[in-house]
Amino acid sequence: QQQVKQSPQSLIVQKGGISIINCAYENTAFDYFPWYQQFPGKGPALLIAIRPDVSEKKEGRFTISFNKSAKQFSLHIMDSQPGDSATYFCAASKDNFNKFYFGSGTKLNVKP
Amino acid sequence: DTAVSQTPKYLVTQMGNDKSIKCEQNLGHDTMYWYKQDSKKFLKIMFSYNNKELIINETVPNRFSPKSPDKAHLNLHINSLELGDSAVYFCASSTRTGEKLFFGSGTQLSVL
């Protein structure tokens, strides 16, 4: 059973547009929600993360929106650039962070 | 200097063979992991070690045996390789707090 569900599977956005990737979870014990970015041939790298005590976190062009009651969180990439083309994974963790549950990934293609 | 390095990057082998993947981190982290990424890009934890002690073993077949000679190294040995073992295997490490995973570049294993 997948603990974190991610959509869409793939996304095409024009340069300068907004990319939005959504994730949903069931386990209310999750208390840490990171997003990872993976380029081809590389390992995932932490992009931004949020805890459920805030509804939004922004770092540069990247924003996480968090809806605790709906058990959903999303990544917004403003002014998307071709260099943002990568696969994005949401994840969730609880307690001691030893175990992360990853979403199935979204392949983002930003067209010039 | 590469923070988390794993070798080899590509591994092509026949069914039934035994193979090993090596991982080293120079970040001084206490915790190391093995993750498996299948053909659909789904990332799933296999093992977690904290200071050479096994913390997580995610119902992985006994053919997979991790070994941590010291806290900077976590190797993965796979016996009697099967077609279904074909995947990308990622090594990762984190600090004791565990909030941020640092991934290696992955080992693409192809079992023929």
Side-chain angles (χ1 to χ4, degrees), chain A residues 2 32 34 36 38 41-46 51 87 89 96-100 102-105, chain B residues 9 31 33 35 37 40-43 45 48 55-56 58 90 97-101 103-105:
Chain A
Q2 206 167 334
Y32 180 69
Y36 280 79
Q38 183 181 24
K42 301 291 186 184
L46 181 65
R51 291 187 181 277
T87 299
F89 293 92
N96 59 6
F97 306 110
N98 269 331
K99 196 168 175 179
F100 284 87
F102 283 85
S104 52
Chain B
K9 187 158 180 71
T31 308
Y33 311 79
Y35 277 82
Q37 187 171 48
K40 295 184 178 179
K41 300 290 189 184
F42 189 53
L43 259 174
I45 190 168
S48 165
I55 303 296
I56 294 173
E58 276 294 292
F90 285 100
T97 57
E99 289 185 349
K100 183 174 179 180
L101 292 174
F103 284 89
S105 295

Side-chain angles (χ1 to χ4, degrees), chain A residues 14-36:
Chain A
Q14 292 293 324
K15 179 182 174 182
I18 302 174
S19 304
I20 301 175
I21 305 170
N22 301 301
C23 283
Y25 63 97
E26 286 298 324
N27 191 339
T28 54
F30 288 145
D31 58 6
Y32 180 69
F33 302 89
W35 284 90
Y36 280 79

